[in-house]
Amino acid sequence: MGSFAVFSISGYDVDESKNHLNTWYFKKSDRTLGRMAENSDDVIEVHKLDEAEFADGELLHYFYKTTAKVMKTRVELQGMTMAQLRKEFNESIASYLASLEDWEHEQNGDYRAHIPLLKSATFEVWLEGLKAIVDGNLKQDYWSPERTKHESLVVEWMLNLTPYIPDESGPFLGCFPCKSPEAFVRAVLEVVGDDDVCLLDATDLVHGGWTDAFDDLVEFSQPHTNIFAVFTTALNELNGILALADDNPSLTRLLYANMITAMESYLSDTIKKNVLNRPPLLRRFVESNQQLREKKIPTADVFRTVDGMKAQVATLIEQTLFHDLTKTIALYRDVLAVEFPREHLGALQQAITIRHDIVHRNGRDSAGKLVELTIGDLTNLVGIISLLIEAVDAEVKDGLIDDDDE
């Protein structure tokens, strides 16, 4: 059956998309997480997922949310002004009347009574009818063979399917005379209050796996990034076998080296994920990387180079040695604007040197002496690395959200 996103204004559905996210004129900054209030359609916004209380089986909801006033401004700036709406309205009424002239009423249904209505009802009268529909949340009944009746002939016209309407004109989720979805949205915005809510509910699409548009917002709403959770799992697994390292020098050295590897994996995965998925950070990486800055590109190869830039950057990141603290600290500062805490860096550098001896010298230092480590050394290293990564992760998480609507 698929998944749907529904765009509503003041609780009235104006558009929907199936299996893809059409953000209309919403921006990334309009995104919000939430849960539905009991016995109402109100949204309770959730800013910290670890503090939110959900009932059993209750799902996290994903929305774009702004006011009708803001949405009206955005729509108008894209050209759908009241003048343009009125133009579409007049063109649509004219096309309906032309269609009625050729309509075979005896064979296909007698709609001649609509002619006086279409000729006499003004643009303002149609807007009043639309307001009654939106205020009452009235809908067309697509399945009923009977026409919906209403005291207002304009409202009744909009609540019923009208077969003589040309294909290039509505209806959308309503039947206000116009030719484009944007015009219909502009008409609805005209009949609601400035503070009424415009809501794009993408919950079904997110849970259906059709969009990842909220991934960074979810991550930002958690205590730590998703990559930090992977790092924590790795450290917990190492901690779980520390006891086995007692009186086992070889295992002690192996675990010591693996702790440095866990740190490197976090630093590598974090920079790679952010740079390759956020255009502003990709640009910062390219502009700060000496190898790329010095590269001469023939004019004929510019577009080919741009097309392959992500792959080239990914390769450079994979080639980076993240146990080289000097280069890693500079990379995080220049690209992610993240500063490493200076505390314990000396001890960490010493641990990295020991790790080098373990991995590349078979556990012996440059003088040929066997590296001797204790469980206390392991525990101390876990503490140093945990403090460093937790501090870095907090800064990375603070920089997750931007308003890049490309």
Side-chain angles (χ1 to χ4, degrees):
M1 293 182 62
S3 303
F4 293 85
V6 179
F7 175 19
S8 64
I9 300 175
S10 191
Y12 186 80
D13 295 347
V14 295
D15 191 43
E16 65 182 24
S17 59
K18 180 180 179 180
N19 294 347
H20 76 281
L21 181 62
N22 176 11
T23 56
W24 272 82
Y25 299 112
F26 289 95
K27 295 179 176 291
K28 286 182 69 174
S29 56
D30 297 329
R31 296 175 303 167
T32 185
L33 307 176
R35 45 186 292 271
M36 302 307 295
E38 293 184 13
N39 304 319
S40 77
D41 293 329
D42 292 338
V43 176
I44 300 175
E45 294 186 24
V46 173
H47 300 287
K48 293 186 178 181
L49 292 180
D50 58 325
E51 298 177 2
E53 296 182 1
F54 291 90
D56 290 341
E58 185 180 9
L59 296 175
L60 179 65
H61 284 66
Y62 303 84
F63 303 100
Y64 289 79
K65 180 182 177 183
T66 190
T67 65
K69 182 178 181 180
V70 170
M71 183 60 68
K72 186 187 298 184
T73 299
R74 293 175 183 173
V75 171
E76 292 219 347
L77 288 174
Q78 294 300 315
M80 186 48 66
T81 61
M82 282 298 288
Q84 179 62 27
L85 172 60
R86 188 184 291 271
K87 180 175 180 290
E88 284 200 20
F89 168 83
N90 290 331
E91 291 173 350
S92 295
I93 293 294
S95 69
Y96 301 165
L97 289 170
S99 180
L100 279 171
E101 289 182 4
D102 300 327
W103 188 258
E104 297 180 354
H105 298 279
E106 286 75 13
Q107 289 81 15
N108 300 321
D110 193 345
Y111 292 96
R112 280 171 287 201
H114 288 187
I115 295 175
L117 173 67
L118 293 172
K119 286 185 175 181
S120 63
T122 64
F123 177 69
E124 288 72 23
V125 169
W126 284 92
L127 282 179
E128 290 175 6
L130 181 61
K131 178 173 175 55
I133 289 174
V134 173
D135 289 347
N137 202 21
L138 306 178
K139 306 288 184 183
Q140 290 182 349
D141 188 347
Y142 296 102
W143 309 110
S144 175
E146 303 295 328
R147 287 184 62 81
T148 301
K149 299 294 184 180
H150 195 275
E151 60 183 0
S152 166
L153 294 179
V154 167
V155 172
E156 184 174 319
W157 189 96
M158 286 190 280
L159 290 179
N160 290 279
L161 294 176
T162 311
Y164 58 79
I165 293 180
D167 290 341
E168 69 269 15
S169 299
F172 308 101
L173 290 183
C175 210
F176 186 85
C178 56
K179 294 186 173 184
S180 66
E182 291 80 9
F184 178 61
V185 167
R186 182 62 186 85
V188 174
L189 288 169
E190 189 63 21
V191 301
V192 301
D194 283 348
D195 294 330
D196 286 2
V197 173
C198 294
L199 201 68
L200 178 60
D201 187 348
T203 303
D204 197 28
L205 288 183
V206 174
H207 289 300
W210 293 99
T211 179
D212 59 1
F214 290 81
D215 284 2
D216 61 331
L217 185 60
V218 171
E219 197 167 15
F220 183 76
S221 303
Q222 299 171 162
H224 301 286
T225 67
N226 295 333
I227 296 176
F228 182 86
V230 175
F231 164 77
T232 300
T233 299
L235 279 196
N236 288 340
E237 290 174 351
L238 290 171
N239 276 323
I241 56 177
L242 277 182
L244 300 177
D246 200 15
D247 298 326
N248 189 334
S250 295
L251 181 57
T252 302
R253 288 191 290 271
L254 178 63
L255 293 179
Y256 197 89
N258 281 344
M259 288 177 186
I260 302 295
T261 300
M263 177 193 73
E264 288 182 286
S265 295
Y266 169 87
L267 295 172
S268 173
D269 292 346
T270 295
I271 196 82
K272 187 174 183 179
K273 176 183 177 181
N274 281 276
V275 166
L276 297 184
N277 289 287
R278 299 172 66 187
L281 298 186
L282 178 64
R283 179 169 182 165
R284 285 173 66 98
F285 182 95
V286 171
E287 291 177 348
S288 63
N289 184 273
Q290 183 175 356
Q291 183 176 337
L292 293 176
R293 286 205 315 268
E294 295 176 351
K295 188 173 183 180
K296 305 300 182 183
I297 303 173
T299 302
D301 293 338
V302 167
F303 290 105
R304 187 181 301 109
T305 301
V306 171
D307 290 341
M309 186 56 67
K310 276 193 176 182
Q312 190 172 354
V313 168
T315 299
L316 288 173
I317 292 175
E318 289 167 2
Q319 293 173 347
T320 301
L321 301 177
F322 284 90
H323 56 258
D324 185 332
L325 284 183
T326 300
K327 291 183 178 179
T328 300
I329 290 172
L331 179 63
Y332 266 71
R333 181 190 62 240
D334 295 341
V335 178
L336 299 185
V338 168
E339 294 288 347
F340 277 47
R342 296 294 170 177
E343 188 179 7
H344 303 308
L345 282 184
L348 181 58
Q349 184 60 64
Q350 184 178 0
I352 290 172
T353 300
I354 293 173
R355 177 258 183 201
H356 180 272
D357 293 338
I358 292 171
V359 173
H360 299 289
R361 299 179 186 275
N362 197 27
R364 296 179 181 275
D365 61 20
S366 57
K369 182 180 178 182
L370 188 66
V371 173
E372 295 183 0
L373 298 169
T374 66
I375 295 297
D377 294 326
L378 292 176
T379 303
N380 185 54
L381 182 59
V382 168
I384 290 173
I385 292 177
S386 296
L387 288 173
L388 172 74
I389 298 302
E390 187 163 359
V392 169
D393 193 72
E395 288 199 48
V396 170
K397 191 176 81 71
D398 283 343
L400 279 177
I401 304 299
D402 56 42
D403 193 26
D404 179 9
D405 285 292
E406 292 182 344

